[in-house]
Amino acid sequence: MEQQEASEDVTMTRIGQAIMLLHAGDREEARNRLAELWEEIGEDGDAFHRCTLAHYMADAQDDAQDELAWDLRALAAADGLTDARVARHDSSVAVRGFYPSLHLNLAADYLKLHRPDAARTHLGHAAGRAPAPGPRRA
């Protein structure tokens, strides 16, 4: 049932196709497709879709200020997510697992924009939300 529901999420399939274009180096087409999807989803659409799309749209930007704006949208969308919604896509993932990466992306954005204090703040947020290390193995 879970796999069937995930496979029927047409929006995630379309986001995935845009991500493939991005990873293949076609940033402009990836940006175009993600922008079209963003218009369809809307500012108040499904938080999981918005978070995922904004995260990858940030990666598709050529301008650091635009990248920051998209990473901020991804973080805001994550704040509206629930574990139940994430589990509909992948039951092995929890919302709290998104935050370290989202904050690291913001730290990188702020560094590019020569705002080291803001970068440090987000590094601290990332470290504070990182999972505790497991037991050490000998």
Side-chain angles (χ1 to χ4, degrees):
M1 172 70 173
E2 176 184 313
Q3 187 71 333
Q4 181 181 0
E5 186 172 339
S7 67
E8 292 176 3
D9 189 339
V10 175
T11 301
M12 284 305 294
T13 298
R14 291 174 62 200
I15 291 170
Q17 291 167 342
I19 293 167
M20 288 173 34
L21 287 168
L22 179 62
H23 290 172
D26 194 347
R27 293 165 62 86
E28 183 176 355
E29 184 59 24
R31 247 189 329 264
N32 291 339
R33 290 189 188 195
L34 290 170
E36 180 180 303
L37 274 167
W38 185 261
E39 288 297 317
E40 291 174 21
I41 294 168
E43 291 282 334
D44 298 320
D46 181 279
F48 184 72
H49 292 155
R50 287 184 295 116
C51 182
T52 305
L53 187 150
H55 171 75
Y56 286 100
M57 182 63 121
D59 293 345
Q61 299 306 306
D62 295 325
D63 178 80
Q65 192 65 45
D66 293 338
E67 186 175 357
L68 172 63
W70 283 105
D71 279 330
L72 288 169
R73 286 182 185 109
L75 181 63
D79 288 342
L81 274 172
T82 64
D83 285 333
R85 172 57 186 103
V86 174
R88 287 191 355 231
H89 181 72
D90 184 341
S91 62
S92 68
V93 178
V95 175
R96 71 181 176 277
F98 290 22
Y99 286 99
S101 175
L102 294 171
H103 283 290
L104 287 173
N105 289 342
L106 287 164
D109 297 341
Y110 284 119
L111 276 178
K112 289 177 193 173
L113 294 167
H114 308 287
R115 295 175 58 190
D117 291 339
R120 273 190 286 284
T121 296
H122 283 281
L123 281 175
H125 290 315
R129 293 194 173 210
R136 294 187 72 172
R137 295 183 185 186

